[in-house]
Every structure is written in C-alpha cells, then in structure tokens.
Amino acid sequence: MIVIVGCIVVVGAVLAGFTWAGGHIGALIHPSEIVTIGGASLGALIVMSPKKVLIDLMKGIMQAIKGSPFSKAMYGDLFRLMYDLLRTARREGLLGLEVHVAHPHESSIFTKYPRVANNHHVCDFICSGLTPLVEGTARKEQLPALFAADLKVIEEEHHLPTHALSKTADGLPGFGIVAAVLGIVITMGHIDGPPAEIGHKVGAALVGTFLGILMSYGFVAPLAARMELLGLAEIAFFRTIATIITGFANDLPPKVAIDQARRGVASENRPSREELETMFQEVDAT
C-alpha cells in the first residue's frame, strides 16, 4: 500500500508543479512515447534476464507492493514454532522431530503457526537445517558452513532480479532520448508546416525525455531499492533461524537459543524479553 501512496505522491507533485507553472496536462499525454519507452525497456529486460530471473522479478514486484511478510508477528510465530520443535526434541530426542521435518505441511506443530507454515521457503529452510541433526549426517561444528552456503544462495538469487530492475532503471533515460530523437525525426518531416504544428511535435518529442527520466528515478529505481530492502529483511529472518538451530545444536536450552537469536533481530520486529516469555508460556500451555 505504501508503494502505491508513493507513486501517487510522485505523479501528483509533478503534475501539480507543471500545471502551477501554466502547463496543460494534455500536453504530456502521448501514448506513442509510452509504447516506445516502455516497450524498449521491457525488451531490454527480457534480453538481459534468464527466465527464472524474470519470474522472480515479477514475484518481487508483487511482494514489494504488498510489503514484507517478515513482520513482528511473523517473528513471533517463528519463535513459538522453534520453541515447540526444540522442546519436543528435548523431550523425545531428535528422532521425535523426524515426522515434523519430513512432512511439515502435515505436522501437528507446523500447522499451529500458519504464518510460517504457509511460507514454503521458510519451512524448507527450517527442515533442511534440522534434518542433518535428526539424521545424524552432520556434526554440530559443520552446521555454520551448511547454513552459510544456504544463505549465500538465497542472497544471490534475491539480488539477481533486483540487479536486473536496477539496470532497467539506468536504461530508461536513454530510451527516453531514443523516443525524443524519433520525435525530432518526425518533426523534420513537417518542417515546412505552420509553427504551431512544429511546436506541438517538438513538445511531444521532449515528453519522451521527460517520461524516461521520470519513470527511471520516480518509479523503477525506487522499486528496485525497495526490493533490495525486502531482500535484506528476508535474509535477516533466515539468519535468525540459523542462529536458533546452531545454538540448540551446541547444547543451549531451547529458551536460551531463541533468546540469543532474538537479540539479533532488528528493533522494529524484536519482541521484548517479557513478550518472548509470554510466547513460551503459550506454547507450554498447548
């Protein structure tokens, strides 16, 4: 929602300033310029991006509009889930987690926390982190390296669509110039026309430059920056999971492992010590 508000502010400020100075909004409406700039930019984006990057880019744009799912409520569900899983491991042994990590969507624990359970990337990361412990295929000393490899891939895969969108933003002013040059070419074909007609066509050509710059710095570049920030929020969430599992593997009690991870959460999403204790009590009561 905040992205839509920002776009409205950008458009409103530009049009308000233009009309205040005596301009007419109709002079800025040239669909042919939008087709030229938008189409050329889209084509360049398709040329530079593999299919997976394009798919991830569309998902990233939709997520940027909706906002980050990694809110304080999401962290709360994560801490409850991890405490539930780790206390089960303490009571029943690590093999008690086997059914939960093998089939998380059928797990009696995961399904209690829908915010986490409905995010398959988070579920997969939790299960892939716990599976080596459950199966005994990795020692606790090896966990940091395993998590580092997973986090590196997640970070790189998120950066690729953001990079592609940033490159598109960089190219938009150039495509605006292309549209302006095409407009001047058309104007040259009517150079013997009346001054009003020539002025109209020159104005239309200049609108191409204006639209390219506005689309770049007013919309596409800020959207790429927002996607980058969402990526940082995502990787921070996964690092929190890795910290909890690594702490537990190093023989920390579940509450201590989770509290250790809580301290690394950004203040906006970090529950207080009292709130965390309340979460533990809620899980113990179930």
Side-chain angles (χ1 to χ4, degrees):
M1 188 59 169
I2 194 171
V3 174
I4 297 174
V5 172
C7 291
I8 292 173
V9 170
V10 170
V11 174
V14 170
L15 294 182
F18 181 66
T19 54
W20 193 356
H24 300 284
I25 294 178
L28 301 177
I29 301 176
H30 295 282
S32 60
E33 303 283 339
I34 297 175
V35 170
T36 300
I37 299 169
S41 300
L42 179 61
L45 177 63
I46 293 173
V47 169
M48 80 170 85
S49 307
K51 180 179 178 181
K52 185 178 186 308
V53 172
L54 291 173
I55 294 173
D56 289 344
L57 176 58
M58 294 306 300
K59 292 179 180 177
I61 291 174
M62 294 302 297
Q63 193 62 66
I65 294 173
K66 292 190 293 185
S68 174
F70 304 108
S71 60
K72 187 172 183 178
M74 181 71 159
Y75 273 96
D77 266 12
L78 172 66
F79 292 147
R80 291 183 183 92
L81 168 65
M82 295 307 298
Y83 177 62
D84 213 344
L85 288 171
L86 299 186
R87 71 168 187 160
T88 299
R90 273 296 179 95
R91 263 197 330 255
E92 304 174 13
L94 287 172
L95 287 178
L97 296 180
E98 185 173 13
V99 64
H100 300 291
V101 299
H103 305 287
H105 298 297
E106 301 172 8
S107 163
S108 59
I109 294 179
F110 275 90
T111 52
K112 289 192 289 186
Y113 311 100
R115 289 188 184 89
V116 177
N118 293 336
N119 190 316
H120 70 276
H121 292 297
V122 174
C123 279
D124 288 347
F125 190 81
I126 294 172
C127 294
S128 67
L130 289 171
T131 296
L133 296 178
V134 173
E135 296 179 348
T137 55
R139 298 189 304 273
K140 61 183 180 180
E141 297 85 2
Q142 298 172 314
L143 280 182
L146 296 178
F147 281 125
D150 286 339
L151 291 170
K152 181 180 179 182
V153 172
I154 293 171
E155 197 165 10
E156 288 177 349
E157 288 190 344
H158 180 85
H159 181 70
L160 290 176
T162 304
H163 180 69
L165 194 60
S166 296
K167 286 291 185 182
T168 303
D170 293 341
L172 274 166
F175 287 121
I177 294 173
V178 169
V181 171
L182 293 177
I184 294 299
V185 170
I186 294 172
T187 303
M188 292 296 102
H190 297 79
I191 197 67
D192 57 347
E197 181 182 358
I198 295 175
H200 175 76
K201 292 186 179 300
V202 170
L206 292 175
V207 166
T209 304
F210 157 73
L211 287 177
I213 296 173
L214 178 64
M215 290 168 65
S216 174
Y217 296 108
F219 300 102
V220 181
L223 189 59
R226 180 170 177 82
M227 285 176 57
E228 186 69 30
L229 292 175
L230 291 180
L232 294 176
E234 180 182 37
I235 202 72
F237 191 83
F238 285 116
R239 282 200 179 100
T240 301
I241 297 172
T243 300
I244 294 172
I245 296 176
T246 303
F248 181 73
N250 284 287
D251 301 322
L252 289 180
K255 291 184 178 181
V256 177
I258 293 171
D259 183 56
Q260 179 180 358
R262 177 192 69 89
R263 296 171 186 271
V265 176
S267 58
E268 178 185 8
N269 297 320
R270 183 196 308 147
S272 66
R273 187 66 188 83
E274 292 74 19
E275 289 173 328
L276 188 64
E277 190 60 39
T278 300
M279 295 176 193
F280 294 152
Q281 293 172 2
E282 289 172 356
V283 176
D284 287 332
T286 59

